[in-house]
């Protein structure tokens, strides 16, 4: 993949993720009492899982944001598209599906299993 194309895609994705995080944070920061006056006393389970879902979504987006920034740093460093573990060139299909991918499928599987 051309690095110019990669940089453009990564910056686009980063902007999308930033927007999603901002939206979620605005929603979770909204005082729930004005919308759902009785929710905390009436059904704490539901209120909790809503907050949990938002927190989990923000966490996942924040992680993806980090991966995108790392990938952009690799574009600048000229190492984009190579596995950070073994240096193998990542196939275009993988970069199409996950432009922020840092590892080849083998190293990714090993990294996830070792966790
Ligand atoms: Zn690898």
């Amino acid at each position: 993949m051309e690095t110019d194309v990669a940089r453009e895609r990564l910056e686009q994705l980063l902007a999308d993720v930033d927007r999603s995080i901002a939206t979620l944070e605005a929603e979770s920061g909204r005082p729930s009492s004005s919308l759902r006056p009785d929710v905390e006393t009436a059904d704490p389970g539901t209120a909790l899982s809503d907050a949990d879902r938002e927190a989990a979504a923000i966490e996942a987006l924040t992680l993806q944001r980090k991966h995108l920034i790392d990938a952009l740093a690799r574009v600048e460093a000229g190492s984009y598209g190579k596995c950070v573990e073994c240096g193998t060139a990542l196939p275009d299909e993988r970069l199409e599906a996950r432009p922020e991918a840092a590892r080849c499928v083998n190293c990714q599987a090993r990294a996830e299993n070792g966790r």
Side-chain angles (χ1 to χ4, degrees), residues 70-115:
D70 286 351
L72 277 166
R74 290 195 301 279
V75 170
E76 297 306 323
S79 61
Y80 179 76
K82 292 198 188 83
C83 174
V84 295
E85 302 282 348
C86 68
T88 301
L90 302 181
D92 272 0
E93 308 92 78
R94 178 152 174 76
L95 293 172
E96 290 286 340
R98 288 194 50 195
E100 76 277 26
R103 296 179 179 84
C104 67
V105 281
N106 289 338
C107 292
Q108 186 64 41
R110 212 175 306 147
E112 280 170 12
N113 288 337
R115 211 175 281 156

